[in-house]
Amino acid sequence: MPAITAVRGRLVYNSRGSPTIEVDITTDGRHTGRAVAPSGASVGIHETASFPDGGVAASLQILNDNAGRIYGADPGDVGAMHGVIREIDPEPGYPKMGGSLAFALSIAAAESAAKSAGKPLYRLLGEQEPLASALSSASASPASKRYRFPFPLGNILGGGAHAGPGTPDIQEILICATGSDTVQDAIRTNLEVHSELRRVLQESDPGFSGGKGDEGGWAPKLDNEKALQAAARACENLGFTLGREVSLGVDFASSTQWDASRSRYVYDRAGFENDPGEQIEFASDLISRFKLIYAEDAVHEEAFEDMAQIRARFPDVLVTGDDLTVTNAAILEKAARGGSCNAAILKVNQAGGLHDALEFAAAGARNGISLVTSHRSGESTESHISHIGIATGSKMLKVGVVGGERVAKLNELLRIAELRGGDGDGDGDTEHDLIQGMAEL
Ligand code: PEP
Ligand code: MG
């Protein structure tokens, strides 16, 4: 059995310039895995808190005090690593160590184990239980042939908590190359739309500075409606038909607008308010008119019944929970029982550690909920989520389009495509020929 022989943590910075934690884990004295915890700007109320009181320094102290418990553990058994983490911090929500340390420890361990076993991280993760059984009973293909590329879903225009005043209230307008047969083509197409959108924005406002939001989407001074129109125009200018070669998506991040004391959604920047019924109509209207394939958090994080109404209206749209489901398996089961969503965001750090996130993925597979593995707005240049997206059978990988910390994830998909010497269509015949083209949307 491989065993952890060294562990070390340090303070580093994320893409927003905020301090975070990095952990190195070495297996058998030779194979080092490294992970940096990301962080969100629009954070769900039921998310795991990133750090205990005392911040990164307090998490590092816990790591140093407990290094002895980590030595000797099997880094390739995500459940066993979870057991070690739980010995250090048994309370739900990791109040002692913080979710960021649980994240960094569990992912650094998995990466060092994958290196030691000489296999790609996605395969090591895809073999973990209960994920492997849940995915193979949900899928028609044999377990060894189930790995597919998720469609990259990228932020082309940012607003809300990710951009400044004057930008749209809605947080993200997203592009997905739904007509692409290969991951290479899907990435290239998203880049073309992102670039054409800049031209469209500059045409309508020569003063547009080219400024971007936290995730690399353009941040123009436009309201929601005009921003969506500009995104649609960029697609059309390239000869694409919405819903065919490419599709748009929106992360409404509606909890940002929700004023619980008045039971209203307040669209400060556009200058209007919606009651809960009006919000359902507002979101439904945008979904229909812009032929959205993807609608995330169209209502606030506790409006399970309102989400169910939207889901019932749009069976072919990925009606997705993020703040609603916070990568929590029990909350996802509740959402599935109430028909609140047919898709859910998987962000490991919302849950804390990798084991929590894989349990969430297994709950998704058992309940027929499509997964969308996602970055955070405050990211590192690492690319573990590209592997996590493949391992969990995610339909989409929400990682942005440009920006070093976003492109790192896309470039990793291109490297993974090379592993079995093909172009993503699954016709290779090597040991690694496990990826069978793109996910089925
Ligand atoms: C999101 O809301 O989906 C997102 C990626 O943003 P953040 O990381 O700020 O939560
Ligand atoms: Mg979101």
Side-chain angles (χ1 to χ4, degrees):
M1 178 189 101
I4 294 175
T5 48
V7 55
R8 185 186 180 110
R10 64 182 68 81
L11 182 151
V12 296
Y13 297 93
N14 69 21
S15 59
R16 261 198 292 268
S18 308
T20 186
I21 194 165
E22 174 173 272
V23 170
D24 292 350
I25 282 191
T26 304
T27 294
D28 297 339
R30 279 192 296 153
H31 306 283
T32 299
R34 169 172 289 171
V36 176
S39 85
S42 61
V43 176
I45 48 175
H46 300 297
E47 275 192 37
T48 301
S50 295
F51 294 103
D53 290 344
V56 179
S59 290
L60 286 171
Q61 188 64 51
I62 296 285
L63 179 64
N64 292 336
D65 292 348
N66 289 279
R69 293 179 196 253
I70 298 165
Y71 294 138
D74 177 355
D77 180 339
V78 174
M81 272 309 292
H82 178 69
V84 171
I85 289 169
R86 279 301 182 205
E87 265 177 40
I88 302 171
D89 193 350
E91 294 293 313
Y94 305 101
K96 193 168 148 194
M97 67 162 64
S100 289
L101 178 53
F103 173 100
L105 265 176
S106 58
I107 293 193
E111 184 184 277
S112 77
K115 283 184 179 172
S116 137
K119 60 169 94 164
L121 179 61
Y122 75 83
R123 284 180 70 187
L124 182 124
L125 298 180
E127 288 161 11
Q128 303 293 317
E129 292 297 351
L131 177 67
S133 306
L135 281 170
S136 61
S137 45
S139 151
S141 29
S144 64
K145 294 275 184 190
R146 71 171 173 73
Y147 299 107
R148 289 171 182 256
F149 283 103
F151 278 88
L153 177 69
N155 187 334
I156 51 172
L157 198 153
H162 291 174
T167 60
D169 297 274
I170 57 178
Q171 184 175 284
E172 299 165 30
I173 298 177
L174 301 147
I175 187 70
C176 186
T178 40
S180 290
D181 292 330
T182 66
V183 70
Q184 291 90 339
D185 187 64
I187 292 170
R188 199 166 43 236
T189 302
N190 284 1
L191 282 163
E192 280 169 16
V193 175
H194 185 273
S195 165
E196 176 60 19
L197 179 55
R198 179 183 188 151
R199 233 187 42 75
V200 169
L201 294 170
Q202 259 161 353
E203 211 169 65
S204 62
D205 173 9
F208 175 56
S209 68
K212 301 193 196 103
D214 284 0
E215 294 177 349
W218 304 114
K221 293 201 170 182
L222 287 181
D223 65 19
N224 307 310
E225 179 76 27
K226 291 212 174 71
L228 273 159
Q229 282 167 2
R233 188 157 331 115
C235 298
E236 286 154 15
N237 286 354
L238 292 165
F240 298 142
T241 303
L242 287 182
R244 206 183 292 167
E245 295 89 354
V246 295
S247 304
L248 294 175
V250 167
D251 182 359
F252 291 85
S254 298
S255 298
T256 313
Q257 282 87 42
W258 178 242
D259 178 347
S261 66
R262 297 174 51 231
S263 291
R264 294 179 83 78
Y265 295 85
V266 181
Y267 286 78
D268 265 336
R269 299 178 188 174
F272 66 90
E273 295 188 4
N274 284 337
D275 67 24
E278 288 166 341
Q279 176 69 12
I280 293 171
E281 297 310 321
F282 168 73
S284 299
D285 176 56
L286 294 184
I287 293 170
S288 307
R289 279 195 295 120
F290 292 95
K291 298 191 174 63
L292 302 187
I293 192 181
Y294 179 88
E296 181 181 330
D297 283 344
V299 293
H300 73 82
E301 58 205 316
E302 292 181 303
F304 285 83
E305 286 170 19
D306 294 353
M307 274 287 276
Q309 286 196 41
I310 296 174
R311 181 192 171 332
R313 277 190 201 183
F314 298 102
D316 298 331
V317 173
L318 290 171
V319 174
T320 305
D322 172 16
D323 294 340
L324 186 89
T325 38
V326 289
T327 316
N328 179 307
I331 298 178
L332 188 66
E333 300 274 1
K334 172 183 163 182
R337 279 195 303 277
S340 303
C341 56
N342 54 15
I345 286 277
L346 183 153
K347 291 169 172 166
V348 176
N349 82 319
Q350 277 184 330
L354 198 45
H355 178 75
D356 306 295
L358 297 187
E359 283 200 321
F360 177 83
R366 283 196 304 272
N367 287 283
I369 305 268
S370 299
L371 291 178
V372 177
T373 294
S374 171
H375 63 172
R376 300 306 307 247
S377 50
E379 260 297 335
S380 74
T381 51
E382 292 176 343
S383 53
H384 302 112
I385 64 168
S386 308
H387 290 263
I388 294 169
I390 292 171
T392 55
S394 292
K395 301 276 185 204
M396 291 180 175
L397 185 68
K398 190 183 177 208
V399 290
V401 183
V402 298
E405 71 280 7
R406 319 286 154 191
V407 168
K409 282 75 171 159
L410 298 170
N411 285 344
E412 184 68 359
L413 292 179
L414 298 176
R415 294 184 199 105
I416 294 170
E418 233 176 57
L419 282 180
R420 48 161 221 27
D423 58 5
D425 62 4
D427 63 0
D429 192 23
T430 71
E431 188 204 341
H432 292 300
D433 185 20
L434 294 173
I435 295 189
Q436 305 291 301
M438 303 299 289
E440 272 164 39
L441 288 175

